[in-house]
Amino acid sequence: MKAIKPFEYFLKEGIVKKQSPDKSRAEFLLKSAEQGYENLAEQLEKIGIKDSNSSNYVRLCYDLLMELIRAKMLLEGFNASGSFAHEAEV
């Protein structure tokens, strides 16, 4: 298994850059995550978890978590882009 690199590594490599906090974009992501969570909760209540839809729920949860992580990074003045940006965010 590949070792997880510290966040500072991605800063040093220029994959993550320091910038001014982007509150409006972060708020957009937070609102999107909130709507996604409400949608997920509704689906779980109405449909429930089955073998046929469980992987879709995992994917939705993952997407929600990534939106929250990106929002936090933006609020703290960080932005990841390019190769390995996803790894830096995670």
Side-chain angles (χ1 to χ4, degrees), residues 32-65:
S32 176
E34 184 178 327
Q35 291 172 343
Y37 177 77
E38 290 171 0
N39 182 284
L40 174 63
E42 184 178 345
Q43 286 182 38
L44 286 169
E45 182 181 322
K46 290 182 178 180
I47 301 170
I49 299 175
K50 304 173 185 175
D51 286 341
S52 61
N53 65 13
S54 60
S55 63
N56 187 46
Y57 289 142
V58 171
R59 197 171 319 118
L60 289 171
C61 291
Y62 176 83
D63 290 343
L64 292 172
L65 288 170

Side-chain angles (χ1 to χ4, degrees), residues 17-27 70-79:
K17 294 179 177 64
K18 187 74 174 149
Q19 64 178 29
S20 297
D22 191 340
K23 188 176 178 183
S24 64
R25 190 164 160 220
E27 287 175 354
R70 289 180 181 127
K72 180 166 178 52
M73 286 180 66
L74 289 166
L75 287 173
E76 292 183 7
F78 294 106
N79 188 25

